[in-house]
Amino acid sequence: ETLKLSHQWSEGDVRHQVAQMVADEVKAANVDLEIQIFPNQTLFKAREQYTPLSRGQLDMTIFPLSYAGGQQPAYNLTLMPGLVKNHDHAARLSASPFMAKIEDIMTGDDVKTLVHGYLAGGFGSNKGCITKPADVQGVTIRAAGKSFEEMLAGAGASISSMASSEIYSALQTGVLDATNTSSESFLSYRLYEQLKCYTPAGETALWFMYQPLLINKTTFDGLSAEQQKALTDASAKAEAWYLEQAKAGDAVTTKAFADAGVEIAEMTQADFDAWRELAKTTSYPSFAASVEGGQELLDMALSVE
Amino acid sequence: MVSTAFGVAASLMIFASVLITCHMIFVRGVLGQSTIWQTEAVIYLMIGATLLGLPYVQRLRGHVGVDLLPQLIPPAARRVLAVVVMLSTIAMIAAMVWYGWEMFHLAWKRGWKSESVWAFPLWITYLSVPLGFALYLLQLLADLWLASFGPSDELPEPHPERSPD
Amino acid sequence: MDPLTLGLLVAIATVVVLFSGVSVAVGLLIVATLFLWIFDGPRALEALPELFYAELNSFALLSIPMFIIMGAAIASTRAGPDLYEALERWLTKVPGGLVVSNLGACALFAAMSGSSPATCAAIGKMGIPEMRRRGYPPEVAAGSIAAGGTLGILIPPSVTMIVYGIATETSIGRLFLAGVLPGILLTLLFIAWAIFDTWRRGAASAALVSARYSWRQRFEILPRVLPFLAIIAGVLYALYGGVATPSETAAVGAMLCILAAIVIYRMFSGRDLWVVLRDSTRESVMILFIIGAAGVFSFMLSSLVVTQSVAQYIAALDVNRWVLMAVINLFLLVAGFFLPPVAVILMSAPILLPIITAAGFDPYWFAVIVTINMEIGLITPPVGLNLYVINGIAPDITLRQILVGSMPFVGCMILAIILMCIFPGLATWLPEAVMGVAI
Ligand code: NA
Ligand code: NA
């Protein structure tokens, strides 16, 4: 039996490697199960994976869950400023009752999580360094994620929405002053060629995005017990590796920026707290208002130590 | 008539995209303010214009095809081929209407929104899929009628520049 | 079934279906649907409209109607004839001056229009009757305009480059720059041929009436070309001056052209504006429909692992890279005979790109090669959009005459492809000089 796994990244990306690892392990288990990977949006477009997954037209995907925030507003919590402090905290969040609640919602869409994982990101700017809210005053910025846009707008930034593929030329020509995205995107779009200052994800970081490996639940339930076990064993192994790679990825990006002569700024605990205070008056209330029981869900997430 | 009306609508949607994009550039570049909804609005307008424009372009015979074979065969066979092509086209478009309706219905029933700050209700843009293809289907049925029972000089030709418009 | 055999089946089915005379977009949908149904099961059909929708769900596609509007708006004014007349007054002493003027006007017009049929129509409406009035044979008149019009997709902006950029995820700004020098090269080759052809005809061409112009007449027409240059400057400023992203620039251009048509060329009537919008809408919807359908088609190829297998198969053949390039060119040429450029690019780029990058070719250089092949396709039957346009302008010129007239220009295009292979820097130098080494 063959399962189709689709994702949006190139074959060098850590997320492809996670998928590849699961595919290799499952194949090695010899349980008559094969996973065929379609990278680079060769099957479904980047943001269009969730609907086919939930309808069973696609078997598996690695997917930033917040992309489906328009269908399930609760998923917006998986890309919420100040919710995650660092990668270890992210791992604890993945194992918390909060994530169990999110998984309940996924079950309603016939989707099941195999591998948990968060990736971090930072800020890059051509108008000074961005570490605290005051730094984005009057800056034209492209932010990844609805909640981040709300928070940055609250800090006086002007938000510009555009496709991630246009960030490079927008920074080059000055259409954009700054951007906020994942470490992996900063690197793969070679934004160090266009940025003057980079604020990486370090000891504390603001930008964390949940990007799990998902499977259609009906498909999973239809597998034999051995196949299911092979899949979950492979996933457990991949999850540990994903966490390591996520930590390493931030350092790789920071080094690339430093090597390119880009100034590296650092976000202090005080800066982080200032952003979080801002989020409490912007993104958080907006989220709580958008979902039934949103406040409760938010509190669950915030209570994870 | 209906096709032309939607053709006008499609043209206006394209024109609106010009204005909205210029508005976005102005707001961002000159006023230095946030541009939240414009990019998305333009995408939805383009999708809408494409789908709602289908019947109009069909009426103008503006959809290109390879007409080498139909021109080589005798008129009687050409008519049969034209009808076969029409019927397959109709079946294909009918499938798009059917599944397009399902897609729209799902988005509408579950209240799906775009994942941006704007949170645009997706059923509106999804509706253009079944609606556009349904109108296209109607135009095709009218053309089929013409191809089967109309005088032979009114056989639909696939070239835009030779259309009677 | 083995994916390669499946691929062959898909290819045969596609040819058969498209030759039936069905429209290209619907043909692609039909083939995709049949294969998905048979090999992925009936459930795959549920995803059809979503795939179609997803393919159109891209801001970059906005530039297609925008660049078409630019051409249509300007084509509806006197700008084309003005441009053409200005060149004519200056070039009247050159052998074959009228043909050279037409080709030059096509090239300049191409710098504003993203579509070849639009370029062809804008210059041809005045150029073809004028050439024939002055005694040029119908073959030369029609052939030079048909060929000159194809420059519309090589000289930026270009609708097919946008489609290539979207299909291969390459930078559209960079693709545009890659087209500049090859566009100039091809224009020069066309002009060189026109001059040589007139000289070769020698005595016969003595009959041609060469108009005489005073220097005063030559200078007084120049201001009428200014709006034209202003629009090009405006678009370039928007693109490289930090005003707009490449996709947004197209809308700035469309706006400038509409404004120029109204303010400078006094096109006040709503009816004229409607004609511009109607023609643009017709061409845009036709192209966007093919794009959506091609999205479904390439999903089918990918889902049945045909794309990946063909790419792997060819990579494993390990032939000489230039043999490979020759085969690819032949394929593009034949595909271009039958299909409109957008369809060829959308169907083949996802398969070809991994192959050519693996063989060490530059994707931006390859875009230019593809584009020149598509230019040839525009003036060859059975599907040659420019042929239809010429047919609309001069219904009494037969298809055979147009073909005879454009054959030498096809030769120029093939020569350009060969030159591009020998000097790849023609395509790669400018983008690298302006934007740095490619990502
Ligand atoms: Na052009
Ligand atoms: Na052709």
Side-chain angles (χ1 to χ4, degrees), chain A residues 4 38 42 45 55 166 173, chain C residues 43 50 55 242 247 302-303:
Chain A
K4 287 183 175 171
F38 295 82
T42 44
K45 297 265 177 290
R55 297 180 75 183
E166 291 205 299
T173 56
Chain C
R43 291 218 54 198
E50 278 165 44
E55 194 63 30
S247 309
S302 190
S303 183

Side-chain angles (χ1 to χ4, degrees), chain A residues 169-191:
Chain A
S169 73
L171 285 169
Q172 182 179 41
T173 56
V175 170
L176 278 184
D177 299 321
T179 186
N180 160 228
T181 184
S182 69
S183 303
E184 285 70 19
S185 294
F186 269 112
L187 193 61
S188 61
Y189 287 120
R190 294 167 69 114
L191 297 183

Side-chain angles (χ1 to χ4, degrees), chain C residues 93-156:
Chain C
K93 289 273 172 56
V94 181
L98 203 55
V99 183
V100 175
S101 313
N102 273 298
L103 290 168
C106 281
L108 281 174
F109 197 89
M112 271 192 359
S113 158
S115 113
S116 286
T119 309
C120 195
I123 306 300
K125 268 176 199 153
M126 174 105 177
I128 293 181
E130 187 67 18
M131 278 190 275
R132 297 178 76 191
R133 200 171 62 77
R134 302 260 193 94
Y136 283 86
E139 289 87 359
V140 175
S144 60
I145 295 289
T150 67
L151 292 168
I153 54 167
L154 181 58
I155 297 175

